[in-house]
Amino acid sequence: MTALISCEDLWKIYRLGDVEVQALRGVDLLIEEGEFVAIMGASGSGKSTLMNILGCLDRPTKGCYRLQGVDVGGLRADQLAEIRNRRIGFVFQNFNLIPRTSALENVQLPLFYRGLPLRQQRALAAEALARVGLQGRENHYPSQLSGGQQQRVAIARALVASPSLLLADEPTGNLDTQSSLEIMAILDGLNKKQGITIVLVTHETDIAAYAEREVVMKDGRILTDRKTPSGASALSVEA
Amino acid sequence: MPTFLLLTVLTAVRILGRNRLRTGLTMLGIVIGVGAVIAMVSIGEGAKAAVAERVASIGTNVILILPGAVATGGVRGGQGGAVTLTTADAAELKKRVPLLRETGWARRDVMQIVHGNKNWNGTVNGISPSYLTIRGWSFTGGGPFTQQDLDAAARVAVLGQTAVDNLFEPGEEPIGSIIRINHVPFRVIGTLALKGQSAQGMDQDDVIFIPFSTAERKVFGTRFLGSVGALFASTERPEDLVPAVAQIREVLRQRHRLQPDQDDDFFIRTQVDIGKVHEDTSETLTIMLFSIASVSLLVGGIGIMNILLVSVTERTKEIGVRMAVGATRRHILIQFLVEAMTLSVLGGCLGILVGILGARATTVVAGWPTIISPETVIAAFVFSVAVGLFFGLYPANKAAWMNPIDALRFE
Ligand SMILES: Nc1ncnc2c1ncn2[C@@H]1O[C@H](COP(=O)(O)OP(=O)(O)O)[C@@H](O)[C@H]1O
Ligand SMILES: [Mg+2]
């Protein structure tokens, strides 16, 4: 079976005038279907850059990225949009919900662009909100929700389209401990119960501990890549 | 796609509804532009229709031949000009120009008319019986005089409405009464239907018609028997007017023994000439309206483009989010185009409303006739859609061609 994610010698170079920033310097990475991977590393080590490429939001300067065996580098913009729409869910540190738009409509968004009938969009979105424990909050605006609740809306939006890959770039970075634990419990459940592959960026070791595998980056390269001994189950709290 | 479009329109309406003041100010240019054009077109069309109605009231397919040389600017003085046209000219034209259905003649003068204790200075026309048919007069009472009346120089008169109003008490029956024109008694045998003002603003109903022979022998007095103030002729069909005019000119030049180097001693006018003037004015009006429309729609369109560019920048992050969850360039393009068109169509509809109200107000306040044609309204609507499309294209493209990650990271 082919790996879900296969990266070979990924480079990302930003040019700012004369200065050249090498954000990624030859990253090789294989991730199998159903894995829960934590990416760690100092600020500026290239974690977000890697995540954006994995999420098809950005293209590497050099190197090959295959998603489910398909070389993404050769795809057109609208084909990438379709991959983002159907196969990838993205959760950001700052939630990135559309302001003054209800939770339900935010979650509907991927289905809206997929062109589903409105009734179906609503039903699936409401179901996704229920799965993250937000039933009854469908008509709330982001500004009427706490940080933890906003991030749960974002997770519902990421999983409403039943993606095979969920990318979370510091999803708990802006949250208090209690909310962080709730979010991690949800992500852990998605991985364990539904087999969704999760790649998670975090600074915090206790968050990283939920994952089965820990990749540490430094200066645009992978420093260490190892299985964590026990997985997260030991640390998970009762919800 | 239908679901997508419908929801996009609803979203656009909601977004624009959030920022009412900004939306209103943005639409203002289109509202004023479309409103002004609708109002002015309806005033223009109203005026054109009124003029056309007056032109038609002159009588259809009519040729007017006036004595005297064409003075500067083609305008001649009143009836007192040189004696160059006679009843004999009319008889000759009838014989030699077969395109003519009828010929008639008239001479007029302002005379004192008395009935009972009422006394009035009105325009008295000595005419051939055919004159009334050529000019399209119809009767409300009695009837016209005949060739026998003309031959006998009978003292009979037909009155226009203004003459009736000035000579008779309300409700009094004019037919059969005796009036005195320049002390000569005449029996009223007919009254005419109202014609209203002429294109030049003259009261066309200020007329009394009497047989030409009676007029020249008993009322006007004349230096030269048979001299007329004007000849009239009519053709069967409008397209005969031009060839008929050429033939008339030919015949009259021959009869008046004019050498090739001599100018005409008469002057021919037709409705075609009169219509031409209107055509020219309405063309000017159209060009003027078109310029106003273009400028105001341009200004309105630029307003829309400006606010949309601001909106695209403000919502860069939102665009990034939409792209991250699977929006294609086309989706983003359509979203902003729909917003632009919602603005312009809404503005256009308000403008149409304002224009209609403006036209109504003009009719009520200034008393000008206005006509709002469906074509104008449809054209205004189509133009607003086009303006939205055209001026929305640049901002929408700008949004659609953003790089997803750059848009997402935009602060
Ligand atoms: N758009 C960009 N333009 C220029 N440099 C960038 C850009 N994005 C990231 N970088 C640089 O690339 C490096 C890696 O950034 P990033 O991937 O965000 O790190 P991390 O997420 O691990 O903190 C940093 O030095 C950062 O300054
Ligand atoms: Mg980062």
Side-chain angles (χ1 to χ4, degrees), chain B residues 52-339:
Chain B
E53 199 178 303
R54 282 170 195 174
V55 169
S57 73
I58 291 170
T60 44
N61 314 340
V62 175
I63 300 167
L64 172 66
I65 310 156
L66 300 165
V70 181
T72 24
V75 184
R76 359 163 320 116
Q79 300 80 28
V83 180
T84 57
L85 288 179
T86 62
T87 51
D89 284 329
E92 184 80 0
L93 286 177
K94 193 170 177 76
K95 207 160 65 191
R96 289 180 51 191
V97 183
L99 285 174
L100 297 183
R101 187 175 57 190
E102 295 199 76
T103 53
W105 53 90
R107 225 186 106 188
R108 63 174 161 183
D109 211 342
V110 175
M111 299 255 127
Q112 196 189 48
I113 304 140
V114 179
H115 171 252
N117 59 357
K118 294 208 166 197
N119 183 330
W120 176 63
N121 285 317
T123 311
V124 176
N125 289 259
I127 58 167
S128 65
S130 54
Y131 177 88
L132 292 177
T133 6
I134 296 171
R135 296 299 300 264
W137 284 100
S138 53
F139 285 80
T140 52
F145 42 80
T146 61
Q147 187 62 40
Q148 283 91 320
D149 290 326
L150 194 73
D151 295 341
R155 292 192 297 251
V156 289
V158 170
L159 305 188
Q161 200 55 52
T162 305
V164 172
D165 292 344
N166 282 287
L167 290 171
F168 295 89
E169 298 292 344
E172 196 180 346
E173 177 55 60
I175 309 287
S177 327
I178 302 295
I179 58 172
R180 286 173 185 278
I181 302 173
N182 209 11
H183 309 298
V184 182
F186 280 80
R187 190 162 49 85
V188 177
I189 59 165
T191 54
L192 296 166
L194 202 65
K195 265 205 178 183
Q197 289 197 339
S198 73
Q200 287 78 32
M202 292 198 355
D203 180 6
Q204 298 188 90
D205 300 302
D206 172 9
V207 282
I208 290 179
F209 293 111
I210 57 177
F212 184 81
S213 49
T214 323
E216 67 176 351
R217 285 177 214 161
K218 296 177 180 159
V219 182
F220 296 164
T222 193
R223 287 158 294 178
F224 184 85
L225 218 59
S227 110
V228 300
L231 289 180
F232 293 86
S234 66
T235 60
E236 202 69 55
R237 303 171 304 165
E239 52 267 39
D240 291 338
L241 273 179
V242 174
V245 164
Q247 289 173 30
I248 289 169
R249 189 156 172 266
E250 191 69 20
V251 171
L252 289 181
R253 284 187 68 88
Q254 267 179 34
R255 269 187 59 80
H256 297 183
R257 300 200 176 78
L258 295 176
Q259 301 301 314
D261 59 330
Q262 279 181 294
D263 286 335
D264 293 346
D265 60 355
F266 52 88
F267 176 56
I268 305 177
R269 284 188 71 188
T270 63
Q271 270 193 76
V272 181
D273 307 329
I274 300 165
K276 183 98 180 66
V277 176
H278 296 309
E279 229 163 70
D280 291 349
T281 17
S282 63
E283 200 167 292
T284 317
L285 195 71
T286 309
I287 290 170
M288 219 176 71
L289 285 174
F290 188 75
S291 327
I292 293 170
S294 318
V295 169
S296 50
L297 287 177
L298 188 77
V299 170
I302 290 171
I304 288 182
M305 183 154 92
N306 177 46
I307 217 66
L308 230 68
L309 282 172
V310 172
S311 173
V312 166
T313 307
E314 277 176 357
R315 284 153 65 193
T316 300
K317 205 171 182 86
E318 176 192 323
I319 294 166
V321 172
R322 288 177 181 274
M323 286 176 161
V325 301
T328 59
R329 297 206 191 294
R330 238 163 64 103
H331 286 131
I332 302 294
L333 185 84
I334 290 172
Q335 182 191 340
F336 281 94
L337 274 186
V338 163
E339 261 177 56

Side-chain angles (χ1 to χ4, degrees), chain A residues 14 52 57-58 77-78 81 84-85 92 94 96 98-101 105 109-110 112-113 116-118 121 157, chain B residues 3-4 7-8 14 18 317-318 321-329 331-332 335 403-405 408-409:
Chain A
Y14 294 106
N52 293 335
L57 289 166
D58 206 355
D78 57 333
R84 292 196 294 270
N85 185 253
F92 304 90
N94 54 4
N96 274 340
I98 296 181
R100 296 201 276 188
T101 302
E105 282 174 293
L109 219 51
F112 168 64
Y113 286 118
L116 289 190
L118 184 59
Q121 286 181 29
R157 181 179 67 191
Chain B
T3 311
F4 170 74
L7 289 178
T8 304
R14 198 173 55 186
R18 248 181 229 159
K317 205 171 182 86
E318 176 192 323
V321 172
R322 288 177 181 274
M323 286 176 161
V325 301
T328 59
R329 297 206 191 294
H331 286 131
I332 302 294
Q335 182 191 340
N403 190 9
I405 190 64
L408 260 176
R409 264 207 297 248

Side-chain angles (χ1 to χ4, degrees), chain A residues 103-143:
Chain A
L104 190 72
E105 282 174 293
N106 263 290
V107 177
Q108 273 172 247
L109 219 51
L111 306 176
F112 168 64
Y113 286 118
R114 194 182 287 186
L116 289 190
L118 184 59
R119 196 183 293 267
Q120 209 174 336
Q121 286 181 29
R122 289 236 171 96
L124 288 172
E127 193 192 308
L129 278 174
R131 271 157 74 190
V132 296
L134 281 181
Q135 56 271 71
R137 303 294 166 116
E138 287 86 355
N139 294 319
H140 284 55
Y141 287 160
S143 59

